[in-house]
Amino acid sequence: MKITSYIDAIKELDTYNRYGEVTRIVGLMIESVGPVANIGDVCYIHPKKGIKIMAEVVGFNDNHVILMPYSQITNIGPGSLVEATDRPLTIKVGEGLVGNVIDALGQPLNMANLPVGLVNMNTERTPPNPLQRPRILEPIELGVKTIDAMLTVGKGQRIGIFAGSGVGKSTLLGMIARNSEADVNVIALIGERGREVREFIEKDLGEEGLKRSIVVVATSDQPALMRIKGAYTATAISEYFRDLGYNVNLMMDSVTRVAMAQREVGLATGEPPTTKGYPPSVFAILPKLLERTGTSDKGTITAFYTVLVDGDDLNDPIADATRGILDGHFVLDRKLAEQGQFPALNVLKSISRVMPQIVDEHARKLAMEMRAHLSIYEENYELIQIGAYKKGTNPAVDQAIQLHSKIINFLRQDIDEKCSRQEALALMEQVLYGGAN
């Protein structure tokens, strides 16, 4: 029986190498006659000198193949050979990757060899069957008191962190990575400045955070396809650990740069630009990518996606599309950051959609009461600031004014400070009731 199976495998083996020839290069796009390939297949382009370059089939123009390179194009010209591999991109994953910093193709950035015992995995997979996703019923402790107490996140929840540039997204992600009770962190730095990568790893993440993290890096200077693949690679690694039964934190900074990279690819392949220049493929890949995370019957992926908002405009098309897919959003407010509040979370504009079903009645009551005090103070802010409000006019406003400074102190947290959820609830109770129930 064994010999028969080997003979059948030999009969099905394709021993031919299929080649094509580059005919045209325009910007990011390489067009070739042949080889026979499918969408998503990896090909090797052989330049006239130097090493071969990996590229991916992203479309077809009549009988011509349209390719996008994974690296910078050098020494490629008309007549360069294109070799088909007849397979999509795969990466090597395993527990040995924990503590490493890798690129979008799964190769270590420190030029070291990959650990032994890794397995091959396709970067593009389909989301789990909706009926095989357990409900989110258990909170995950993140060590950030504002989130744990007022915007409680569940295991397997997907959250968007919306902010403009320089408001503290990376620092908040570093705090979550260090303090969270998740088993493994997978951190994707997509489209980051090269300078910021080491700064994030050493300053925000720290040595303790890196010990239980895998960092996937695709910097802004790399081709668009590498930035897209960085997101897919990080998601695939998260899925691998989820299938082993782990509770995984996936942190992607940022999903906006993934969308921008897909816009480059889409426009280069001839897609029509629609909203703000984004082609339809951008709004097609977002749900496919974001829906891959969440719960499964084996483990969970709790995902945090940062979303850059131009001019702090939360109605940006990518922000709007992402907010509609995810299970909640945290808004980092530039005004709060300027006032020295960190993390600069605007609690009134933020929401965790699963919080009501994962916290008890007491915790929910505390959060709603503190939110009410913040809302009342915000509504009467101008009257209070100019001295037009007279004490005693409205008891609710009086109480909001009295508690405001204590609430702001509660919402502040130092970068190196860790606070458990129970400690956060006790502090919130002390702020609201002075320590009495």
Side-chain angles (χ1 to χ4, degrees):
M1 291 294 292
K2 287 184 178 179
I3 294 174
T4 305
S5 63
Y6 285 129
I7 291 171
D8 291 341
I10 291 169
K11 286 179 180 177
E12 293 175 5
L13 185 65
D14 186 358
T15 57
Y16 287 96
N17 287 340
R18 290 176 171 80
Y19 292 92
E21 187 178 277
V22 172
T23 57
R24 185 167 174 252
I25 301 175
V26 178
L28 304 171
M29 183 185 71
I30 300 171
E31 197 171 301
S32 69
V33 177
V36 176
N38 299 315
I39 286 283
D41 280 0
V42 172
C43 292
Y44 288 109
I45 303 173
H46 296 267
K48 293 176 182 177
K49 57 182 179 179
I51 60 173
K52 59 187 178 182
I53 294 170
M54 284 181 69
E56 184 176 307
V57 178
V58 295
F60 300 95
N61 181 15
D62 294 330
N63 292 324
H64 289 197
V65 179
I66 300 174
L67 301 135
M68 289 279 178
Y70 286 116
S71 58
Q72 301 296 337
I73 304 172
T74 53
N75 302 319
I76 294 177
S80 294
L81 283 179
V82 180
E83 179 186 357
T85 64
D86 200 29
R87 58 180 175 80
L89 177 69
T90 58
I91 56 166
K92 290 188 177 294
V93 298
E95 295 186 18
L97 274 184
V98 178
N100 282 285
V101 182
I102 61 175
D103 66 13
L105 304 181
Q107 298 301 315
L109 279 184
N110 61 0
M111 305 303 175
N113 293 325
L114 282 169
V116 295
L118 305 182
V119 297
N120 284 319
M121 188 174 186
N122 197 337
T123 58
E124 298 198 30
R125 304 174 71 194
T126 55
N129 185 323
L131 293 183
Q132 293 178 351
R133 288 181 182 266
R135 290 176 58 203
I136 301 170
L137 298 172
E138 187 180 350
I140 183 170
E141 192 172 290
L142 301 178
V144 181
K145 58 186 176 182
T146 305
I147 298 174
D148 285 337
M150 301 192 68
L151 300 162
T152 312
V153 175
K155 288 181 180 177
Q157 188 174 352
R158 301 158 307 154
I159 291 288
I161 300 175
F162 293 75
S165 56
V167 188
K169 299 183 301 299
S170 298
T171 310
L172 179 59
L173 289 182
M175 285 181 70
I176 293 171
R178 290 194 310 274
N179 301 337
S180 168
E181 63 178 358
D183 302 315
V184 180
N185 298 310
V186 180
I187 303 167
L189 302 178
I190 310 298
E192 288 286 333
R193 304 174 188 90
R195 173 189 64 81
E196 291 181 335
V197 172
R198 188 164 181 177
E199 186 177 301
F200 174 82
I201 293 168
E202 294 181 1
K203 176 175 167 283
D204 297 327
L205 187 59
E207 188 177 343
E208 288 302 311
L210 184 59
K211 281 181 182 177
R212 60 191 187 103
S213 303
I214 300 168
V215 183
V216 181
V217 176
T219 51
S220 58
D221 60 295
Q222 293 182 312
L225 203 59
M226 281 288 272
R227 283 174 269 146
I228 296 169
K229 288 301 171 187
Y232 281 96
T233 294
T235 306
I237 293 170
S238 302
E239 289 170 321
Y240 171 83
F241 283 99
R242 177 179 64 185
D243 292 344
L244 292 180
Y246 287 100
N247 291 316
V248 185
N249 270 357
L250 170 63
M251 286 164 273
M252 190 177 294
D253 186 13
S254 71
V255 73
T256 308
R257 294 192 180 112
V258 177
M260 289 176 174
Q262 181 60 36
R263 176 170 64 182
E264 290 180 43
V265 173
L267 295 177
T269 54
E271 282 191 76
T274 52
T275 312
K276 267 201 172 180
Y278 289 102
S281 63
V282 171
F283 302 100
I285 71 158
L286 281 176
K288 287 180 184 176
L289 177 64
L290 304 183
E291 285 289 347
R292 286 169 59 180
T293 56
T295 59
S296 79
D297 53 359
K298 298 183 181 72
T300 63
I301 301 174
T302 307
F304 300 88
Y305 299 98
T306 68
V307 183
L308 288 167
V309 285
D310 292 336
D312 299 324
D313 176 19
L314 295 175
N315 295 318
D316 174 87
I318 299 302
D320 205 37
T322 308
R323 189 166 52 242
I325 299 166
L326 299 176
D327 308 317
H329 54 272
F330 299 161
V331 177
L332 298 185
D333 196 323
R334 190 176 299 279
K335 183 180 176 183
L336 296 178
E338 289 168 352
Q339 292 171 357
Q341 180 179 321
F342 181 82
L345 271 164
N346 189 321
V347 176
L348 298 178
K349 291 182 179 178
S350 304
I351 189 169
S352 170
R353 291 179 183 167
V354 303
M355 182 179 173
Q357 64 198 43
I358 61 174
V359 300
D360 57 33
E361 185 63 27
H362 179 61
R364 192 177 68 83
K365 182 185 173 187
L366 288 174
M368 292 300 292
E369 193 167 335
M370 187 169 279
R371 189 182 280 262
H373 288 310
L374 281 170
S375 178
I376 291 168
Y377 188 89
E378 188 72 25
E379 286 172 6
N380 295 274
Y381 177 76
E382 290 185 5
L383 291 175
I384 296 165
Q385 289 301 304
I386 63 174
Y389 176 78
K390 292 183 179 180
K391 188 177 179 181
T393 306
N394 186 327
V397 179
D398 290 343
Q399 191 176 12
I401 294 170
Q402 182 185 348
L403 294 176
H404 187 69
S405 61
K406 293 180 181 178
I407 293 173
I408 295 303
N409 284 333
F410 169 78
L411 297 177
R412 286 194 175 107
Q413 184 171 341
D414 289 337
I415 295 170
D416 298 322
E417 181 187 348
K418 183 178 179 179
C419 183
S420 71
R421 185 164 180 271
Q422 291 305 316
E423 289 170 342
L425 290 173
L427 284 170
M428 189 156 59
E429 198 167 357
Q430 189 175 5
V431 167
L432 294 172
Y433 310 127
N437 288 320

